[in-house]
Amino acid sequence: MTTTAERLVETLEALGVDRVFGYPGGRVIELLDHLPESDVEFVRPRDEREASVMAEMHGRLTGEPGVLVGQGPWIGSLGAIGAMEARLGSSPMVVITEASERGDYSTLAPYQQARGDYGGLDLPSILDGVVKEHWFPRTPPETVRSLQFAFKHAAAGRPGPTAVVLDGNAVTETVPEDPIPPLWDAEEQARTWQSRPTEGDVAAAADALADADRPVVIAGNGVHAAKAYDELQAVAESYGCPVTTSYLGKSTIPETHDLAAGVIGAFGHEGANRTVSEADVLLVVGSRLNPMDTNWGAPDFVRPDEQTILHADVDPRNAGWVYPADVGLIGDAAGSLRALLDAAGDGADRSLDWARDRASEARESFVVPECESDTSPIKPQRAVAEIGAVVDEDTVVTADSGNNRFWLLNYLRTPATRTYFGSGGVGGMGWATPAAVSASLATDADVIAVAGDGGFAMTMTSVETAVEQGVAPTFVVLNDGSLGMVRQMEDSPGDIAGVEFHDTDFVAVAEAFGADGVRVDAPDDLAEALREGKRSDGPFVVDVRIDPGEEMADQLASSFYESVGGLHE
């Protein structure tokens, strides 16, 4: 006789889940009770927020749904952070939770109860606003089937988060031997298929690219999701296109490649933005083109009335969403790019001189004099230059929200694909640190997390999780003693409440968690600290005191962004 909880663990094993992230509580304890006897590892950070980010990053990095497990009220609050990032950033993720039902007590001034009845919380409504799909099954067969469907929907089409809310009694009941309707094999039930663009749309897009004088690619997160790196480079080389990226698309092409032109957007590379503006044909691959990417709709940036727009996206609703598209290529990025490559044929190769020259000129935006400054406190540009010096093809950088990610965006030149991932779906602070732990668990890469002092403090207990899990990311804190991006919005010092931070000793924090760390004020010391962190067998925190006087928005706002008034996030 197999209980529902046992069958759910068997389902996780059958679907190849190596680890789940979460925090014990409520009726999911029934499921966690069976994990020690399985091949599924349980990673328990200090709270559901960190667990949710770890699950989201696992899905983003591996392409397989990251699994988050925890008690309903906390999954619907703290744990919503990772699910929101997964929803807007297109990461496959499965949430297994419960409604903290208390049997007959659920209708009597309930405590923690979250099934949506009077007096309690409404977890299904919370999930409905965050995840792609959710299920609230009431019987053992429904519960098993719902978990299968959760994996299917998390990966089908545009990836995203799904959720199963366990019913208290159904978790402990026995799964019938021959239920009607039947339960099918987990792998078969969770299987998905890829769509691909029509032959007519491919031919029209290929003709437009072949006839273009200045074709340019905008590569987005969909290239990461489909791991379409080789296809992207091949199409760019075949049609003679410089490749720009969205923020979430950074490192879809090595930024050392001779066709790489940098990152577009409000705080992106001026050279990349100019390249897109000058194009006569734009091939957008796997990007929704959010307001940050489009310089908040600056009229002179992308011009559908003057430029031919080819939009490839796995979701037909996204193609032509922000700008009217001339051709939509519906399918995952790898399939659409392969189709364009096939349509090009052997004889369609064109001179790469213009594309190489234009990309080379655009890449000048990666370097400014401050990248070589020897002043103390350290210029953030110089700090990023030193980080770049230790980033190789086997390194993954995770970037937080706030000023730090825009310094990285501009001055970290990624040497290979899949070397940079940032918080950019919902863009929450505190993402980089738990994401780095997850990346360290999922890969053999060296991992460097970069956050501001505000974001790092939100989730710094993830350093302890790294110690417990035996992984060794380097955590770099770009510390200006403030909530830097908000502080820049002040008209005068003290104009906005809550932007200054107490001077926290992050090295002492690291040591308390069982990690090592060092505080640095000078650029040469930072270079050595980063090398030490990379050599370390355990987690290593580098508390970098950066110059708070370097105004990110003033320096990095693109001319297109300024043309629409320089709006803030």
Side-chain angles (χ1 to χ4, degrees), residues 12 19-25 27-29 31-32 35 40 42-45 47-48 51-52 55 66-72 75 93-98 166:
L12 294 175
R19 63 180 61 87
V20 300
F21 305 87
Y23 205 91
R27 299 310 294 269
V28 298
I29 292 175
L31 185 148
L32 299 180
L35 281 185
V40 181
F42 183 55
V43 178
R44 189 257 325 125
D47 70 13
E48 291 83 357
S52 71
V67 181
L68 172 66
V69 177
Q71 188 173 3
I75 292 297
M93 179 177 175
V94 170
V95 179
I96 304 174
T97 188
E98 49 82 76
L166 304 176

PDB file of all heavy atoms in Angstrom, residues 12 19-25 27-29 31-32 35 40 42-45 47-48 51-52 55 66-72 75 93-98 166:
ATOM      1  N   LEU A  12       8.707  12.394  -8.158  1.00  0.00           N
ATOM      2  CA  LEU A  12       9.887  13.262  -8.279  1.00  0.00           C
ATOM      3  C   LEU A  12      11.087  12.468  -8.786  1.00  0.00           C
ATOM      4  O   LEU A  12      11.826  12.932  -9.668  1.00  0.00           O
ATOM      5  CB  LEU A  12      10.214  13.899  -6.928  1.00  0.00           C
ATOM      6  CG  LEU A  12       9.188  14.898  -6.365  1.00  0.00           C
ATOM      7  CD1 LEU A  12       9.601  15.337  -4.960  1.00  0.00           C
ATOM      8  CD2 LEU A  12       9.047  16.107  -7.277  1.00  0.00           C
ATOM      9  N   ARG A  19      17.182  17.390  -6.575  1.00  0.00           N
ATOM     10  CA  ARG A  19      17.050  18.074  -5.290  1.00  0.00           C
ATOM     11  C   ARG A  19      15.831  18.971  -5.298  1.00  0.00           C
ATOM     12  O   ARG A  19      15.383  19.428  -6.350  1.00  0.00           O
ATOM     13  CB  ARG A  19      18.305  18.891  -4.976  1.00  0.00           C
ATOM     14  CG  ARG A  19      18.601  20.021  -5.948  1.00  0.00           C
ATOM     15  CD  ARG A  19      19.875  20.773  -5.560  1.00  0.00           C
ATOM     16  NE  ARG A  19      21.034  19.902  -5.565  1.00  0.00           N
ATOM     17  CZ  ARG A  19      21.788  19.651  -6.644  1.00  0.00           C
ATOM     18  NH1 ARG A  19      21.484  20.211  -7.807  1.00  0.00           N
ATOM     19  NH2 ARG A  19      22.816  18.853  -6.578  1.00  0.00           N
ATOM     20  N   VAL A  20      15.289  19.180  -4.118  1.00  0.00           N
ATOM     21  CA  VAL A  20      14.221  20.146  -3.930  1.00  0.00           C
ATOM     22  C   VAL A  20      14.679  21.144  -2.874  1.00  0.00           C
ATOM     23  O   VAL A  20      15.517  20.844  -2.026  1.00  0.00           O
ATOM     24  CB  VAL A  20      12.884  19.486  -3.514  1.00  0.00           C
ATOM     25  CG1 VAL A  20      12.421  18.508  -4.566  1.00  0.00           C
ATOM     26  CG2 VAL A  20      13.016  18.799  -2.163  1.00  0.00           C
ATOM     27  N   PHE A  21      14.110  22.342  -2.939  1.00  0.00           N
ATOM     28  CA  PHE A  21      14.471  23.411  -2.031  1.00  0.00           C
ATOM     29  C   PHE A  21      13.250  23.767  -1.198  1.00  0.00           C
ATOM     30  O   PHE A  21      12.135  23.826  -1.723  1.00  0.00           O
ATOM     31  CB  PHE A  21      14.931  24.644  -2.809  1.00  0.00           C
ATOM     32  CG  PHE A  21      16.059  24.377  -3.770  1.00  0.00           C
ATOM     33  CD1 PHE A  21      15.795  23.941  -5.068  1.00  0.00           C
ATOM     34  CD2 PHE A  21      17.374  24.553  -3.380  1.00  0.00           C
ATOM     35  CE1 PHE A  21      16.834  23.684  -5.955  1.00  0.00           C
ATOM     36  CE2 PHE A  21      18.416  24.311  -4.258  1.00  0.00           C
ATOM     37  CZ  PHE A  21      18.148  23.876  -5.546  1.00  0.00           C
ATOM     38  N   GLY A  22      13.435  24.003   0.087  1.00  0.00           N
ATOM     39  CA  GLY A  22      12.272  24.359   0.877  1.00  0.00           C
ATOM     40  C   GLY A  22      12.539  24.452   2.349  1.00  0.00           C
ATOM     41  O   GLY A  22      13.685  24.440   2.811  1.00  0.00           O
ATOM     42  N   TYR A  23      11.421  24.511   3.081  1.00  0.00           N
ATOM     43  CA  TYR A  23      11.479  24.649   4.530  1.00  0.00           C
ATOM     44  C   TYR A  23      10.340  23.816   5.113  1.00  0.00           C
ATOM     45  O   TYR A  23       9.199  23.943   4.675  1.00  0.00           O
ATOM     46  CB  TYR A  23      11.324  26.124   4.911  1.00  0.00           C
ATOM     47  CG  TYR A  23      11.947  26.464   6.239  1.00  0.00           C
ATOM     48  CD1 TYR A  23      13.257  26.899   6.326  1.00  0.00           C
ATOM     49  CD2 TYR A  23      11.210  26.343   7.422  1.00  0.00           C
ATOM     50  CE1 TYR A  23      13.840  27.220   7.543  1.00  0.00           C
ATOM     51  CE2 TYR A  23      11.775  26.657   8.646  1.00  0.00           C
ATOM     52  CZ  TYR A  23      13.089  27.098   8.705  1.00  0.00           C
ATOM     53  OH  TYR A  23      13.664  27.398   9.906  1.00  0.00           O
ATOM     54  N   PRO A  24      10.635  22.953   6.091  1.00  0.00           N
ATOM     55  CA  PRO A  24       9.584  22.086   6.627  1.00  0.00           C
ATOM     56  C   PRO A  24       8.473  22.871   7.305  1.00  0.00           C
ATOM     57  O   PRO A  24       8.724  23.887   7.966  1.00  0.00           O
ATOM     58  CB  PRO A  24      10.338  21.217   7.642  1.00  0.00           C
ATOM     59  CG  PRO A  24      11.767  21.271   7.216  1.00  0.00           C
ATOM     60  CD  PRO A  24      11.959  22.651   6.657  1.00  0.00           C
ATOM     61  N   GLY A  25       7.251  22.395   7.152  1.00  0.00           N
ATOM     62  CA  GLY A  25       6.114  23.020   7.802  1.00  0.00           C
ATOM     63  C   GLY A  25       4.809  22.505   7.235  1.00  0.00           C
ATOM     64  O   GLY A  25       4.745  22.098   6.066  1.00  0.00           O
ATOM     65  N   ARG A  27       1.572  20.375   6.171  1.00  0.00           N
ATOM     66  CA  ARG A  27       1.396  18.995   5.718  1.00  0.00           C
ATOM     67  C   ARG A  27       2.450  18.552   4.711  1.00  0.00           C
ATOM     68  O   ARG A  27       2.492  17.370   4.343  1.00  0.00           O
ATOM     69  CB  ARG A  27      -0.010  18.820   5.124  1.00  0.00           C
ATOM     70  CG  ARG A  27      -1.133  19.083   6.091  1.00  0.00           C
ATOM     71  CD  ARG A  27      -0.978  18.342   7.423  1.00  0.00           C
ATOM     72  NE  ARG A  27      -1.073  16.901   7.297  1.00  0.00           N
ATOM     73  CZ  ARG A  27      -2.214  16.210   7.413  1.00  0.00           C
ATOM     74  NH1 ARG A  27      -3.354  16.851   7.651  1.00  0.00           N
ATOM     75  NH2 ARG A  27      -2.218  14.903   7.317  1.00  0.00           N
ATOM     76  N   VAL A  28       3.308  19.462   4.248  1.00  0.00           N
ATOM     77  CA  VAL A  28       4.399  18.996   3.379  1.00  0.00           C
ATOM     78  C   VAL A  28       5.401  18.175   4.178  1.00  0.00           C
ATOM     79  O   VAL A  28       6.238  17.481   3.605  1.00  0.00           O
ATOM     80  CB  VAL A  28       5.134  20.150   2.656  1.00  0.00           C
ATOM     81  CG1 VAL A  28       4.203  20.897   1.739  1.00  0.00           C
ATOM     82  CG2 VAL A  28       5.812  21.082   3.628  1.00  0.00           C
ATOM     83  N   ILE A  29       5.306  18.236   5.514  1.00  0.00           N
ATOM     84  CA  ILE A  29       6.172  17.372   6.331  1.00  0.00           C
ATOM     85  C   ILE A  29       5.915  15.909   6.001  1.00  0.00           C
ATOM     86  O   ILE A  29       6.829  15.070   6.058  1.00  0.00           O
ATOM     87  CB  ILE A  29       5.938  17.659   7.831  1.00  0.00           C
ATOM     88  CG1 ILE A  29       6.453  19.065   8.171  1.00  0.00           C
ATOM     89  CG2 ILE A  29       6.627  16.619   8.709  1.00  0.00           C
ATOM     90  CD1 ILE A  29       6.167  19.505   9.593  1.00  0.00           C
ATOM     91  N   LEU A  31       5.403  14.691   3.099  1.00  0.00           N
ATOM     92  CA  LEU A  31       6.230  14.388   1.935  1.00  0.00           C
ATOM     93  C   LEU A  31       7.709  14.332   2.331  1.00  0.00           C
ATOM     94  O   LEU A  31       8.446  13.424   1.925  1.00  0.00           O
ATOM     95  CB  LEU A  31       5.992  15.442   0.853  1.00  0.00           C
ATOM     96  CG  LEU A  31       6.677  15.262  -0.495  1.00  0.00           C
ATOM     97  CD1 LEU A  31       5.799  15.829  -1.592  1.00  0.00           C
ATOM     98  CD2 LEU A  31       8.029  15.960  -0.530  1.00  0.00           C
ATOM     99  N   LEU A  32       8.148  15.305   3.127  1.00  0.00           N
ATOM    100  CA  LEU A  32       9.557  15.352   3.529  1.00  0.00           C
ATOM    101  C   LEU A  32       9.941  14.141   4.362  1.00  0.00           C
ATOM    102  O   LEU A  32      11.124  13.778   4.420  1.00  0.00           O
ATOM    103  CB  LEU A  32       9.822  16.639   4.315  1.00  0.00           C
ATOM    104  CG  LEU A  32       9.574  17.954   3.575  1.00  0.00           C
ATOM    105  CD1 LEU A  32       9.873  19.153   4.474  1.00  0.00           C
ATOM    106  CD2 LEU A  32      10.407  18.035   2.309  1.00  0.00           C
ATOM    107  N   LEU A  35      11.583  11.692   1.966  1.00  0.00           N
ATOM    108  CA  LEU A  35      12.746  12.075   1.147  1.00  0.00           C
ATOM    109  C   LEU A  35      14.044  11.386   1.572  1.00  0.00           C
ATOM    110  O   LEU A  35      14.856  11.038   0.710  1.00  0.00           O
ATOM    111  CB  LEU A  35      12.934  13.590   1.158  1.00  0.00           C
ATOM    112  CG  LEU A  35      12.029  14.413   0.245  1.00  0.00           C
ATOM    113  CD1 LEU A  35      12.444  15.884   0.297  1.00  0.00           C
ATOM    114  CD2 LEU A  35      12.056  13.911  -1.182  1.00  0.00           C
ATOM    115  N   VAL A  40      16.303  11.881  -3.829  1.00  0.00           N
ATOM    116  CA  VAL A  40      16.088  13.317  -3.940  1.00  0.00           C
ATOM    117  C   VAL A  40      16.685  14.009  -2.718  1.00  0.00           C
ATOM    118  O   VAL A  40      16.317  13.713  -1.576  1.00  0.00           O
ATOM    119  CB  VAL A  40      14.583  13.642  -4.051  1.00  0.00           C
ATOM    120  CG1 VAL A  40      14.376  15.145  -4.190  1.00  0.00           C
ATOM    121  CG2 VAL A  40      13.960  12.902  -5.230  1.00  0.00           C
ATOM    122  N   PHE A  42      17.258  17.143  -0.177  1.00  0.00           N
ATOM    123  CA  PHE A  42      16.493  18.283   0.321  1.00  0.00           C
ATOM    124  C   PHE A  42      17.458  19.370   0.760  1.00  0.00           C
ATOM    125  O   PHE A  42      18.306  19.165   1.627  1.00  0.00           O
ATOM    126  CB  PHE A  42      15.601  17.868   1.487  1.00  0.00           C
ATOM    127  CG  PHE A  42      14.724  18.977   2.017  1.00  0.00           C
ATOM    128  CD1 PHE A  42      13.876  19.676   1.172  1.00  0.00           C
ATOM    129  CD2 PHE A  42      14.749  19.318   3.360  1.00  0.00           C
ATOM    130  CE1 PHE A  42      13.065  20.695   1.657  1.00  0.00           C
ATOM    131  CE2 PHE A  42      13.933  20.333   3.859  1.00  0.00           C
ATOM    132  CZ  PHE A  42      13.088  21.022   2.999  1.00  0.00           C
ATOM    133  N   VAL A  43      17.337  20.554   0.137  1.00  0.00           N
ATOM    134  CA  VAL A  43      18.173  21.705   0.482  1.00  0.00           C
ATOM    135  C   VAL A  43      17.318  22.672   1.277  1.00  0.00           C
ATOM    136  O   VAL A  43      16.336  23.212   0.767  1.00  0.00           O
ATOM    137  CB  VAL A  43      18.739  22.387  -0.780  1.00  0.00           C
ATOM    138  CG1 VAL A  43      19.574  23.606  -0.389  1.00  0.00           C
ATOM    139  CG2 VAL A  43      19.564  21.408  -1.595  1.00  0.00           C
ATOM    140  N   ARG A  44      17.680  22.881   2.554  1.00  0.00           N
ATOM    141  CA  ARG A  44      16.901  23.726   3.437  1.00  0.00           C
ATOM    142  C   ARG A  44      17.704  24.965   3.839  1.00  0.00           C
ATOM    143  O   ARG A  44      18.561  24.915   4.709  1.00  0.00           O
ATOM    144  CB  ARG A  44      16.504  22.949   4.697  1.00  0.00           C
ATOM    145  CG  ARG A  44      15.505  23.655   5.583  1.00  0.00           C
ATOM    146  CD  ARG A  44      16.069  24.306   6.845  1.00  0.00           C
ATOM    147  NE  ARG A  44      17.155  23.589   7.432  1.00  0.00           N
ATOM    148  CZ  ARG A  44      18.342  24.132   7.692  1.00  0.00           C
ATOM    149  NH1 ARG A  44      18.584  25.397   7.386  1.00  0.00           N
ATOM    150  NH2 ARG A  44      19.311  23.431   8.244  1.00  0.00           N
ATOM    151  N   PRO A  45      17.456  26.098   3.182  1.00  0.00           N
ATOM    152  CA  PRO A  45      18.062  27.345   3.639  1.00  0.00           C
ATOM    153  C   PRO A  45      17.333  27.858   4.877  1.00  0.00           C
ATOM    154  O   PRO A  45      16.562  27.115   5.497  1.00  0.00           O
ATOM    155  CB  PRO A  45      17.884  28.279   2.442  1.00  0.00           C
ATOM    156  CG  PRO A  45      16.665  27.766   1.762  1.00  0.00           C
ATOM    157  CD  PRO A  45      16.631  26.277   1.994  1.00  0.00           C
ATOM    158  N   ASP A  47      15.044  30.373   5.091  1.00  0.00           N
ATOM    159  CA  ASP A  47      13.629  30.715   4.949  1.00  0.00           C
ATOM    160  C   ASP A  47      13.150  30.426   3.537  1.00  0.00           C
ATOM    161  O   ASP A  47      13.927  30.065   2.646  1.00  0.00           O
ATOM    162  CB  ASP A  47      13.323  32.157   5.373  1.00  0.00           C
ATOM    163  CG  ASP A  47      13.884  33.220   4.427  1.00  0.00           C
ATOM    164  OD1 ASP A  47      14.299  32.882   3.305  1.00  0.00           O
ATOM    165  OD2 ASP A  47      13.910  34.402   4.812  1.00  0.00           O
ATOM    166  N   GLU A  48      11.831  30.566   3.334  1.00  0.00           N
ATOM    167  CA  GLU A  48      11.205  30.209   2.070  1.00  0.00           C
ATOM    168  C   GLU A  48      11.599  31.157   0.943  1.00  0.00           C
ATOM    169  O   GLU A  48      11.586  30.753  -0.227  1.00  0.00           O
ATOM    170  CB  GLU A  48       9.681  30.188   2.231  1.00  0.00           C
ATOM    171  CG  GLU A  48       9.141  29.061   3.099  1.00  0.00           C
ATOM    172  CD  GLU A  48       9.184  29.358   4.590  1.00  0.00           C
ATOM    173  OE1 GLU A  48       9.692  30.441   4.983  1.00  0.00           O
ATOM    174  OE2 GLU A  48       8.704  28.513   5.376  1.00  0.00           O
ATOM    175  N   ALA A  51      14.809  29.787  -0.411  1.00  0.00           N
ATOM    176  CA  ALA A  51      14.516  28.523  -1.081  1.00  0.00           C
ATOM    177  C   ALA A  51      13.864  28.763  -2.437  1.00  0.00           C
ATOM    178  O   ALA A  51      14.168  28.080  -3.426  1.00  0.00           O
ATOM    179  CB  ALA A  51      13.608  27.661  -0.206  1.00  0.00           C
ATOM    180  N   SER A  52      12.967  29.753  -2.494  1.00  0.00           N
ATOM    181  CA  SER A  52      12.267  30.013  -3.755  1.00  0.00           C
ATOM    182  C   SER A  52      13.221  30.536  -4.819  1.00  0.00           C
ATOM    183  O   SER A  52      13.108  30.184  -6.002  1.00  0.00           O
ATOM    184  CB  SER A  52      11.123  31.010  -3.529  1.00  0.00           C
ATOM    185  OG  SER A  52      11.592  32.323  -3.277  1.00  0.00           O
ATOM    186  N   ALA A  55      15.265  27.615  -6.103  1.00  0.00           N
ATOM    187  CA  ALA A  55      14.499  26.795  -7.044  1.00  0.00           C
ATOM    188  C   ALA A  55      14.381  27.485  -8.396  1.00  0.00           C
ATOM    189  O   ALA A  55      14.525  26.854  -9.454  1.00  0.00           O
ATOM    190  CB  ALA A  55      13.115  26.501  -6.466  1.00  0.00           C
ATOM    191  N   GLY A  66      12.849  23.741 -11.285  1.00  0.00           N
ATOM    192  CA  GLY A  66      13.302  23.756  -9.902  1.00  0.00           C
ATOM    193  C   GLY A  66      12.099  23.560  -9.000  1.00  0.00           C
ATOM    194  O   GLY A  66      11.013  24.080  -9.269  1.00  0.00           O
ATOM    195  N   VAL A  67      12.260  22.812  -7.906  1.00  0.00           N
ATOM    196  CA  VAL A  67      11.136  22.445  -7.047  1.00  0.00           C
ATOM    197  C   VAL A  67      11.249  23.142  -5.701  1.00  0.00           C
ATOM    198  O   VAL A  67      12.278  23.059  -5.016  1.00  0.00           O
ATOM    199  CB  VAL A  67      11.068  20.917  -6.842  1.00  0.00           C
ATOM    200  CG1 VAL A  67       9.874  20.543  -5.970  1.00  0.00           C
ATOM    201  CG2 VAL A  67      10.962  20.207  -8.199  1.00  0.00           C
ATOM    202  N   LEU A  68      10.185  23.837  -5.328  1.00  0.00           N
ATOM    203  CA  LEU A  68      10.077  24.519  -4.040  1.00  0.00           C
ATOM    204  C   LEU A  68       9.018  23.829  -3.206  1.00  0.00           C
ATOM    205  O   LEU A  68       7.912  23.564  -3.688  1.00  0.00           O
ATOM    206  CB  LEU A  68       9.685  25.987  -4.259  1.00  0.00           C
ATOM    207  CG  LEU A  68       9.344  26.809  -3.014  1.00  0.00           C
ATOM    208  CD1 LEU A  68      10.560  26.984  -2.118  1.00  0.00           C
ATOM    209  CD2 LEU A  68       8.769  28.171  -3.410  1.00  0.00           C
ATOM    210  N   VAL A  69       9.345  23.537  -1.936  1.00  0.00           N
ATOM    211  CA  VAL A  69       8.430  22.832  -1.039  1.00  0.00           C
ATOM    212  C   VAL A  69       8.307  23.633   0.256  1.00  0.00           C
ATOM    213  O   VAL A  69       9.326  24.078   0.814  1.00  0.00           O
ATOM    214  CB  VAL A  69       8.953  21.416  -0.723  1.00  0.00           C
ATOM    215  CG1 VAL A  69       8.037  20.715   0.266  1.00  0.00           C
ATOM    216  CG2 VAL A  69       9.065  20.598  -1.995  1.00  0.00           C
ATOM    217  N   GLY A  70       7.076  23.815   0.749  1.00  0.00           N
ATOM    218  CA  GLY A  70       6.925  24.508   2.015  1.00  0.00           C
ATOM    219  C   GLY A  70       5.479  24.721   2.399  1.00  0.00           C
ATOM    220  O   GLY A  70       4.553  24.442   1.636  1.00  0.00           O
ATOM    221  N   GLN A  71       5.290  25.251   3.605  1.00  0.00           N
ATOM    222  CA  GLN A  71       3.958  25.475   4.158  1.00  0.00           C
ATOM    223  C   GLN A  71       3.278  26.654   3.471  1.00  0.00           C
ATOM    224  O   GLN A  71       3.904  27.681   3.212  1.00  0.00           O
ATOM    225  CB  GLN A  71       4.055  25.720   5.668  1.00  0.00           C
ATOM    226  CG  GLN A  71       2.713  25.780   6.362  1.00  0.00           C
ATOM    227  CD  GLN A  71       2.843  25.861   7.880  1.00  0.00           C
ATOM    228  OE1 GLN A  71       3.949  25.918   8.411  1.00  0.00           O
ATOM    229  NE2 GLN A  71       1.711  25.874   8.575  1.00  0.00           N
ATOM    230  N   GLY A  72       1.980  26.516   3.228  1.00  0.00           N
ATOM    231  CA  GLY A  72       1.234  27.447   2.404  1.00  0.00           C
ATOM    232  C   GLY A  72       1.361  28.923   2.706  1.00  0.00           C
ATOM    233  O   GLY A  72       1.682  29.716   1.819  1.00  0.00           O
ATOM    234  N   ILE A  75       4.873  30.047   1.736  1.00  0.00           N
ATOM    235  CA  ILE A  75       5.111  29.943   0.296  1.00  0.00           C
ATOM    236  C   ILE A  75       4.363  31.062  -0.432  1.00  0.00           C
ATOM    237  O   ILE A  75       4.852  31.640  -1.411  1.00  0.00           O
ATOM    238  CB  ILE A  75       4.661  28.568  -0.234  1.00  0.00           C
ATOM    239  CG1 ILE A  75       5.568  27.470   0.309  1.00  0.00           C
ATOM    240  CG2 ILE A  75       4.633  28.555  -1.762  1.00  0.00           C
ATOM    241  CD1 ILE A  75       7.018  27.567  -0.125  1.00  0.00           C
ATOM    242  N   MET A  93       9.527  26.057 -12.952  1.00  0.00           N
ATOM    243  CA  MET A  93       9.545  25.909 -11.493  1.00  0.00           C
ATOM    244  C   MET A  93       8.257  25.226 -11.049  1.00  0.00           C
ATOM    245  O   MET A  93       7.177  25.518 -11.580  1.00  0.00           O
ATOM    246  CB  MET A  93       9.691  27.287 -10.843  1.00  0.00           C
ATOM    247  CG  MET A  93       9.707  27.331  -9.336  1.00  0.00           C
ATOM    248  SD  MET A  93       9.977  29.065  -8.804  1.00  0.00           S
ATOM    249  CE  MET A  93       9.797  28.892  -7.029  1.00  0.00           C
ATOM    250  N   VAL A  94       8.349  24.311 -10.103  1.00  0.00           N
ATOM    251  CA  VAL A  94       7.180  23.629  -9.548  1.00  0.00           C
ATOM    252  C   VAL A  94       7.151  23.879  -8.043  1.00  0.00           C
ATOM    253  O   VAL A  94       8.139  23.648  -7.343  1.00  0.00           O
ATOM    254  CB  VAL A  94       7.217  22.117  -9.823  1.00  0.00           C
ATOM    255  CG1 VAL A  94       6.126  21.391  -9.044  1.00  0.00           C
ATOM    256  CG2 VAL A  94       7.051  21.851 -11.321  1.00  0.00           C
ATOM    257  N   VAL A  95       6.023  24.369  -7.560  1.00  0.00           N
ATOM    258  CA  VAL A  95       5.828  24.651  -6.135  1.00  0.00           C
ATOM    259  C   VAL A  95       4.906  23.586  -5.558  1.00  0.00           C
ATOM    260  O   VAL A  95       3.807  23.362  -6.075  1.00  0.00           O
ATOM    261  CB  VAL A  95       5.214  26.047  -5.927  1.00  0.00           C
ATOM    262  CG1 VAL A  95       4.996  26.320  -4.439  1.00  0.00           C
ATOM    263  CG2 VAL A  95       6.091  27.123  -6.562  1.00  0.00           C
ATOM    264  N   ILE A  96       5.366  22.930  -4.505  1.00  0.00           N
ATOM    265  CA  ILE A  96       4.532  21.954  -3.791  1.00  0.00           C
ATOM    266  C   ILE A  96       4.259  22.535  -2.409  1.00  0.00           C
ATOM    267  O   ILE A  96       5.177  22.730  -1.610  1.00  0.00           O
ATOM    268  CB  ILE A  96       5.230  20.587  -3.668  1.00  0.00           C
ATOM    269  CG1 ILE A  96       5.623  20.049  -5.041  1.00  0.00           C
ATOM    270  CG2 ILE A  96       4.315  19.593  -2.954  1.00  0.00           C
ATOM    271  CD1 ILE A  96       6.454  18.769  -4.991  1.00  0.00           C
ATOM    272  N   THR A  97       2.989  22.817  -2.132  1.00  0.00           N
ATOM    273  CA  THR A  97       2.649  23.459  -0.873  1.00  0.00           C
ATOM    274  C   THR A  97       1.347  22.884  -0.337  1.00  0.00           C
ATOM    275  O   THR A  97       0.869  21.849  -0.825  1.00  0.00           O
ATOM    276  CB  THR A  97       2.585  24.993  -1.052  1.00  0.00           C
ATOM    277  OG1 THR A  97       2.434  25.614   0.210  1.00  0.00           O
ATOM    278  CG2 THR A  97       1.481  25.414  -2.000  1.00  0.00           C
ATOM    279  N   GLU A  98       0.768  23.541   0.654  1.00  0.00           N
ATOM    280  CA  GLU A  98      -0.467  23.062   1.279  1.00  0.00           C
ATOM    281  C   GLU A  98      -1.186  24.245   1.882  1.00  0.00           C
ATOM    282  O   GLU A  98      -0.653  25.362   1.907  1.00  0.00           O
ATOM    283  CB  GLU A  98      -0.164  21.975   2.319  1.00  0.00           C
ATOM    284  CG  GLU A  98       0.921  22.316   3.309  1.00  0.00           C
ATOM    285  CD  GLU A  98       0.424  23.167   4.464  1.00  0.00           C
ATOM    286  OE1 GLU A  98      -0.243  22.628   5.371  1.00  0.00           O
ATOM    287  OE2 GLU A  98       0.706  24.378   4.469  1.00  0.00           O
ATOM    288  N   LEU A 166      -1.526  20.853  -1.649  1.00  0.00           N
ATOM    289  CA  LEU A 166      -1.913  19.548  -1.130  1.00  0.00           C
ATOM    290  C   LEU A 166      -3.071  19.683  -0.139  1.00  0.00           C
ATOM    291  O   LEU A 166      -3.075  20.574   0.708  1.00  0.00           O
ATOM    292  CB  LEU A 166      -0.729  18.880  -0.426  1.00  0.00           C
ATOM    293  CG  LEU A 166       0.548  18.708  -1.253  1.00  0.00           C
ATOM    294  CD1 LEU A 166       1.650  18.126  -0.387  1.00  0.00           C
ATOM    295  CD2 LEU A 166       0.290  17.829  -2.468  1.00  0.00           C
TER     296      LEU A 166
END
